[in-house]
Amino acid sequence: MTEVRLRELRDEDLPAYWQHLTDPDLQWQAGMTRDYHYEREAFDAHWVRIRANPRILHRTVLADGVVAGQVASFDGPDGREVTYWIGPEHGGRGIATEALRQLLALDTTRPLHAGAAADNAASLRILEKCGFVVTGHDRDEARARGGGEVDVVLLELA
């Protein structure tokens, strides 16, 4: 069984983050991407902002001591939200689910919100295993899928 642990971000984690965030298959799966998923300058500026904001609870996800991804909660337009990103080599092993569970123990704010591309069954399953329930649907920019929009499932943890 894989040991999953969260810890604060270290500078040496950023190369793994960059590798994960720029993976085209993961980008397509997520559907919703931003400039920092494609441009190194935007990526670096994004992490300066994340690290400077005390309202963002961000953690590096370690799987058996190796950087497997990241998980965070932050203030979004409709309240507190969660996000996570796990590298492709770590998928399908329950790492994201356990990382999110650990984050939910650290951030006890409720409700918490999340969104996932409607066709991202793995992400929706992770959120539902952690107690999130579907509250609605929306659309968002689908840059990773060549433009246009993607259907998004909105979820909440009460």
Side-chain angles (χ1 to χ4, degrees):
M1 186 165 152
T2 303
E3 178 193 17
V4 178
R5 199 167 51 83
L6 303 183
R7 70 160 161 75
E8 292 192 22
L9 170 65
R10 297 179 184 165
D11 289 341
E12 61 264 24
D13 300 339
L14 292 173
Y17 285 17
W18 175 247
Q19 182 180 6
H20 297 159
L21 290 173
T22 58
D23 181 281
D25 292 333
L26 286 181
Q27 290 175 347
W28 190 93
Q29 185 178 7
M32 301 160 286
T33 55
R34 305 297 179 245
D35 287 345
Y36 64 87
H37 290 93
Y38 304 94
E39 301 163 9
R40 187 58 196 238
E41 276 186 26
F43 172 86
D44 292 338
H46 172 76
W47 288 105
V48 167
R49 286 189 306 275
I50 296 297
R51 292 171 116 176
N53 187 337
R55 293 286 304 150
I56 297 174
L57 175 59
H58 175 271
R59 294 292 184 264
T60 294
V61 177
L62 300 175
D64 292 332
V66 175
V67 175
Q70 56 183 293
V71 62
S73 59
F74 60 96
D75 295 329
D78 297 319
R80 197 104 175 119
E81 296 184 31
V82 297
T83 186
Y84 46 88
W85 197 279
I86 301 296
E89 66 277 18
H90 301 285
R93 297 177 20 214
I95 294 168
T97 301
E98 179 56 25
L100 183 56
R101 283 187 180 132
Q102 290 182 31
L103 180 78
L104 297 175
L106 294 173
D107 188 339
T108 58
T109 305
R110 301 295 184 268
L112 284 171
H113 303 274
D119 59 1
N120 188 343
S123 192
L124 292 169
R125 196 168 39 254
I126 289 162
L127 290 161
E128 289 174 346
K129 284 181 186 178
C130 290
F132 284 80
V133 296
V134 174
T135 58
H137 299 270
D138 200 358
R139 296 190 56 76
D140 200 348
E141 175 187 359
R143 181 174 177 182
R145 298 180 181 189
E149 292 185 328
V150 64
D151 291 323
V152 177
V153 177
L154 304 174
L155 302 99
E156 180 178 287
L157 178 65

